[in-house]
């Protein structure tokens, strides 16, 4: 036998038993996010590479080493989407959505691509859901977006979640802070990793994202960005915290939280789940008041978050979420004539009654078809064999109590009217 072709490293098949859980999670996203007035938006799987370079930032891990980019046959530079915000903002600008509504609130469920080192909870193709609220500069908008993420995890019954929040201030604040951080880190330059050394001059804030232990030790004593916030930034942050308190949302302030993308300003936050181990980040987000202007639109404030679906599913108690998907009817047909009736009855019950109906297409014997009906946990079995055809009647068996009746073919639909 020739070698089989396997999936690409870092990708994952979602087989039917797991797909049920995905459907459950996705259906809850649609219900819950609409409660907050957010509408679904869908954007293409790939975009011009320049969109991500300009928005996420050239010094970030995503842009500098993780994007799946190529030049297509027409010479266009294209990238598989590594995150969603840039695409949503592109379509917002392109379609002048800000002129139609002063505030636009979107949610999405999407598939993303980053060439990271695969491990549990970290893939090269993964899925996120998230929101973008575009138009409001006010702290109540930050609080709404944070509450939406936090409450969603509670709504799904997730325990042990931790909300971390920080403010990285305005562009001016970050300019001042960058200088302070650079001056603090400079004496340690030779101790830093090669990539951090490169970032030191260009964008020292990125070093705060490090996962390397000895760098974390250095960073522990670094100056805090909160000490550079101007009065407006401080008032904004205090108001956000105040609103969270009003909603009884528990948070901890983490002054080292800056998030891995360049476009954030003021509020940034992350939600973690203790039981997830090393990859414990469920969700991250923040305000990005300068992004729309950077991408060529009219200056407009905005805030959003993105959350991983794979990690959410890992954190949920999966068995609880298996949804009853058993058939209403399994049609057991034995012999070629029976197949004719089986096809007709199955179609009638599916079209007229919206039943889940399974028929045997392997032409197996009566015993193995009954076994299958049992295995699938079917509510009823309709049995059609030579005898039934001779009498123009089917045998209908209630699989839970074992009772069976014979019903003439033409009355099968009305039979189910009385019992379901
Ligand atoms: P980010 O867009 O990097 O802020 O990530 C937001 C969330 O997406 C994270 O908190 C994770 O839950 C999830 N996530 C990010 N990258 C991956 C990945 N490579 N594999 C699985 N989930 C991911």
């Amino acid at each position: 036998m020739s070698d089989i072709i396997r999936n690409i490293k870092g990708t994952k098949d979602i087989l039917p038993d797991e797909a049920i859980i995905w459907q459950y999670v996705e259906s809850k996203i649609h219900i819950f996010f609409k409660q907050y007035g957010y509408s679904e938006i869908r954007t293409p799987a790939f975009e011009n590479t320049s969109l991500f370079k300009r928005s996420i930032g050239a010094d970030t891990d995503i842009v500098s080493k993780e994007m799946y980019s190529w030049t297509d046959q027409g010479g266009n530079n294209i990238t598989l989407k590594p995150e969603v915000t840039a695409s949503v903002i592109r379509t917002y600008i392109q379609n002048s959505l800000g002129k139609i509504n002063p505030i636009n609130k979107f949610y999405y469920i999407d598939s993303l691509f980053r060439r990271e080192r695969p491990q549990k909870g970290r893939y090269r193709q993964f899925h996120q859901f998230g929101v973008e609220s575009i138009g409001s500069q006010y702290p109540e908008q930050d609080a709404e977006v944070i509450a939406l993420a936090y409450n969603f995890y509670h709504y799904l019954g997730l325990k042990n979640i931790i909300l971390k929040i920080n403010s990285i201030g305005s562009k001016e604040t970050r300019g001042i802070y960058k200088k302070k951080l650079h001056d603090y880190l400079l004496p340690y330059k030779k101790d830093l990793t090669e990539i951090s050394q490169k970032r030191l001059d260009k964008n020292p804030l990125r070093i705060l994202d490090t996962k390397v232990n000895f760098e974390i030790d250095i960073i522990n004593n670094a100056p805090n960005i909160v000490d550079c916030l101007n009065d407006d930034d401080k008032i904004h942050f205090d108001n956000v915290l105040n609103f969270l308190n009003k909603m009884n949302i528990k948070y901890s302030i983490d002054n080292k939280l800056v998030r891995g993308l360049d476009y954030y300003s003021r509020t940034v936050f992350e939600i973690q789940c203790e039981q997830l181990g090393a990859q414990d980040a469920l969700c991250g987000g923040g305000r990005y008041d300068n992004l729309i202007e950077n991408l060529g639109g009219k200056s407009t404030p905005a805030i959003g978050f993105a959350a991983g679906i794979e990690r959410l599913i890992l954190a949920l108690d999966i068995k609880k979420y298996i949804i009853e998907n058993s058939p209403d009817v399994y049609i057991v047909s034995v012999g070629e004539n029976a197949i004719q009736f089986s096809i007709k009855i199955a179609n009638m019950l599916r079209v007229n009654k919206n039943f889940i109906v399974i028929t045997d297409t392997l032409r197996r014997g009566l015993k193995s078809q009954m076994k299958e009906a049992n295995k699938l946990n079917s509510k009823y079995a309709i049995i059609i064999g030579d005898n039934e055809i001779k009498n123009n009647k089917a045998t209908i068996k209630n699989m839970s109590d074992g009772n069976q009746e014979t019903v003439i073919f033409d009355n099968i639909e009305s039979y189910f009217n009385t019992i379901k």
Side-chain angles (χ1 to χ4, degrees):
M1 207 171 72
S2 61
D3 283 345
I4 59 162
I5 300 170
R6 306 191 69 89
N7 65 316
I8 290 170
K9 190 176 162 194
T11 67
K12 188 172 162 312
D13 300 309
I14 300 169
L15 301 180
D17 280 352
E18 199 193 338
I20 292 173
I21 299 154
W22 282 71
Q23 284 178 12
Y24 172 83
V25 169
E26 286 167 8
S27 70
K28 294 292 178 192
I29 293 168
H30 291 295
I31 294 167
F32 196 82
F33 287 25
K34 284 184 189 129
Q35 280 181 1
Y36 284 73
Y38 286 68
S39 309
E40 192 187 8
I41 191 160
R42 300 184 189 204
T43 54
F46 48 77
E47 297 272 5
N48 286 306
T49 302
S50 54
L51 175 68
F52 304 114
K53 284 197 174 157
R54 237 159 99 182
S55 56
I56 301 172
D59 304 324
T60 57
D61 281 350
I62 296 178
V63 172
S64 63
K65 48 184 192 187
E66 295 170 358
M67 293 206 300
Y68 284 95
S69 304
W70 74 101
T71 308
D72 76 1
Q73 291 85 339
N76 307 299
N77 293 322
I78 282 173
T79 294
L80 287 178
K81 243 177 357 193
E83 62 107 45
V84 183
T85 304
S87 296
V88 172
I89 297 309
R90 180 206 39 78
T91 188
Y92 168 87
I93 297 169
Q94 189 177 331
N95 292 293
S96 304
L97 298 180
K99 285 197 188 129
I100 302 166
N101 285 311
I103 183 124
N104 283 272
K105 298 185 180 186
F106 303 119
Y107 76 90
Y108 60 81
I109 302 175
D110 215 333
S111 189
L112 290 319
F113 303 85
R114 294 182 196 171
R115 200 171 190 287
E116 297 189 86
R117 201 162 55 80
Q119 52 193 289
K120 192 173 179 215
R122 182 174 292 286
Y123 307 96
R124 289 181 171 176
Q125 180 182 2
F126 62 98
H127 298 78
Q128 286 184 339
F129 61 96
V131 304
E132 315 294 350
S133 176
I134 309 165
S136 169
Q137 60 179 328
Y138 297 110
E140 53 270 36
Q141 184 58 71
D142 305 40
E144 177 186 273
V145 165
I146 297 168
L148 180 45
Y150 182 91
N151 290 339
F152 183 63
Y153 292 120
H154 281 275
Y155 170 69
L156 290 181
L158 217 59
K159 302 209 169 62
N160 306 327
I161 65 164
I162 298 162
L163 166 64
K164 290 187 170 171
I165 187 166
N166 192 22
S167 175
I168 57 168
S170 57
K171 229 179 177 172
E172 295 71 43
T173 304
R174 280 195 307 288
I176 299 165
Y177 179 65
K178 262 184 194 170
K179 168 125 197 15
K180 268 195 167 178
L181 185 62
H182 174 269
D183 293 349
Y184 167 82
L185 288 170
L186 198 58
Y188 298 101
K189 187 169 179 178
K190 59 176 187 342
D191 303 325
L192 298 176
T193 56
E194 204 182 311
I195 184 137
S196 293
Q197 289 188 15
K198 276 192 198 141
R199 286 172 170 168
L200 184 59
D201 291 326
K202 280 202 270 178
N203 196 349
L205 252 76
R206 289 277 68 81
I207 302 173
L208 298 182
D209 282 337
T210 185
K211 301 280 182 287
V212 181
N213 279 338
F214 64 83
E215 288 193 332
I216 293 174
D217 289 343
I218 295 173
I219 276 157
N220 272 336
N221 296 316
N224 277 328
I225 199 159
V226 274
D227 298 325
C228 300
L229 296 183
N230 64 32
D231 286 349
D232 286 347
D233 291 339
K234 272 190 211 146
I235 292 169
H236 184 92
F237 192 42
D238 285 347
N239 278 326
V240 174
L241 300 181
N242 187 24
F243 289 133
L244 295 180
N245 292 336
K246 286 219 154 58
M247 291 186 279
N248 271 331
I249 290 179
K250 306 266 171 301
Y251 55 81
S252 65
I253 298 174
D254 178 351
N255 291 144
K256 295 288 176 321
L257 182 68
V258 290
R259 311 255 326 115
L261 303 96
D262 272 0
Y263 53 60
Y264 287 117
S265 53
R266 288 197 162 163
T267 313
V268 289
F269 66 98
E270 239 174 54
I271 295 178
Q272 299 171 345
C273 180
E274 277 174 345
Q275 74 229 48
L276 279 177
Q279 305 303 320
D280 63 353
L282 278 176
C283 158
R287 187 164 266 292
Y288 49 93
D289 290 346
N290 307 307
L291 179 62
I292 296 164
E293 200 176 5
N294 283 353
L295 289 176
K298 183 174 155 244
S299 171
T300 312
I303 179 165
F305 71 78
I309 301 187
E310 283 81 358
R311 290 187 200 173
L312 169 59
I313 286 175
L314 278 173
L316 290 171
D317 178 3
I318 298 229
K319 276 181 233 79
K320 256 189 358 212
Y321 296 90
I322 302 281
I323 293 132
E324 196 54 48
N325 218 7
S326 55
D328 296 300
V329 170
Y330 188 103
I331 305 184
V332 176
S333 54
V334 184
E336 294 218 10
N337 289 336
I339 294 169
Q340 311 285 333
F341 283 95
S342 161
I343 293 267
K344 203 172 141 192
I345 293 165
N347 192 58
M348 181 260 294
L349 292 175
R350 288 175 186 139
V351 172
N352 296 349
K353 297 203 59 69
N354 296 322
F355 275 13
I356 303 175
V357 182
I358 311 292
T359 61
D360 172 70
T361 52
L362 290 175
R363 301 198 174 185
R364 286 175 288 191
L366 175 91
K367 240 180 153 176
S368 54
Q369 289 188 52
M370 283 307 289
K371 223 167 137 188
E372 180 82 356
N374 260 318
K375 195 172 118 195
L376 296 177
N377 210 10
S378 184
K379 297 185 187 79
Y380 289 89
I382 298 180
I383 302 155
I384 312 170
D386 289 341
N387 254 345
E388 279 80 9
I389 289 174
K390 213 164 53 203
N391 299 326
N392 201 32
K393 283 177 177 169
T395 303
I396 302 183
K397 181 172 180 180
N398 181 329
M399 301 295 278
S400 53
D401 59 18
N403 284 337
Q404 50 184 58
E405 293 179 54
T406 50
V407 179
I408 54 173
F409 287 137
D410 284 347
N411 288 351
I412 291 177
E413 186 179 340
S414 51
Y415 173 83
F416 284 108
N417 282 344
T418 57
I419 55 165
K420 202 181 181 235

